[in-house]
Amino acid sequence: MIERVRVAVVGVGNNTSALVQGLALYRQSGSLVGIRRPTIDGLGVGDIDVVAAFATSAEKIGRDLTEAIFLPPNNFPRLNCDLPRAGVPVTKGLVDATGVPRVAAALAGAEVLLYSAPSGRPETARAYAEAAHTAGVAFINTTSDPVARDPHLLDRFTAAGLPLFGDDLASQFGTSVLHKALLRLLEERGLTLVSSYQVNLGGTEDFRNLVANPNTKKQSKLNALTEGHPAGRPAAEQPAADRPAAGRVEVAPLGYLPHLRSQKVAHLNIEAQGWGETAVSLDVKLTVHDPSGAAGVNIDLIRIAASALRTGRGGHSAEVTSLLKSPPGTAV
């Protein structure tokens, strides 16, 4: 029987709530609804145990993980499953790099550290990456803060045989995934892109934080949309005019609407020209539970990271590039 993956999580917000509840639901039901890959290197969806959790909220510290995930401002709904106590108390997280040795010690027994705190705190993200490196643990950065895009840090993880995956999740079925697919479809069908934009509205704490600290998020979304590479050539090797979305795609600032709770509402517009320079216009509205989209990708990243760690494959992996908005080599 394959050994379960032991994962530690940073951030006890909606994304962690969706992941923890989902693990319980799939173990109990055996369902494959919403699952992209039922097994990865022999690891099933239920073969993951959360063994440590870190947060900075005073209300969550010291609580059992399965209790803390339902405390405000979390607003992801309760899934239809029994959720026994995890026996994992939420530990005080890092506020600066001075706590790295303490967190590294707390990671004893873990294989993967999933960084799922809010974006916009690059120093904190790097501090947790250092703790993972010290503890000999794989690190996954789900935020738009540049960690895996730091060549020096990536080289250190690679040399140590430790996986380093990032940056920024491409949600299981989110705005960037859909938008990029539509832009590629235009290109494949021979249409000429004139302009395009996306608007994202949400009610989670992550949305509230990103409205106040947008810094790296807009660039990460643009990375996901404009790194097209026709004819198999990397985007960096193409003239700007040959990149189908370069300079013609805009990402509006995120909007925080509390009444949306864990739902995200996205609006996409594409203006193009077809044969004879005739106009083509497309408007799409997408509504999803944002934390579910994160959990649907994290479940794969965790298993791939654990498999890579167990076989000594350090650094980044081409296998996870499509699951991320800003993998190594994209703009910071």
Side-chain angles (χ1 to χ4, degrees), residues 19 90 116-118 143 156 163 195 208 228-229 281 299 315:
L19 178 64
V90 177
S116 191
T143 77
R156 290 172 56 209
S195 65
R208 187 183 72 81
H229 37 88
S281 183
I299 191 67

Side-chain angles (χ1 to χ4, degrees), residues 174-219:
T175 319
S176 296
V177 169
L178 178 58
H179 201 169
K180 186 172 185 176
L182 290 172
L183 292 173
R184 285 188 178 276
L185 181 60
L186 249 69
E187 179 195 345
E188 290 169 4
R189 304 303 297 175
L191 278 76
T192 299
L193 177 66
V194 174
S195 65
S196 185
Y197 67 79
Q198 63 168 262
V199 178
N200 293 274
L201 308 170
T204 65
E205 188 69 4
D206 194 42
F207 261 86
R208 187 183 72 81
N209 172 72
L210 285 169
V211 168
N213 303 288
N215 41 28
T216 58
K217 191 64 176 182
K218 182 174 181 178
Q219 181 60 58

Side-chain angles (χ1 to χ4, degrees), residues 2 37-44 299-301 303-304 307 319:
I2 195 163
R37 298 175 65 180
T39 61
I40 295 177
D41 294 333
L43 293 166
I299 191 67
D300 288 357
L301 288 171
R303 290 180 292 168
I304 295 169
S307 177
E319 188 177 1

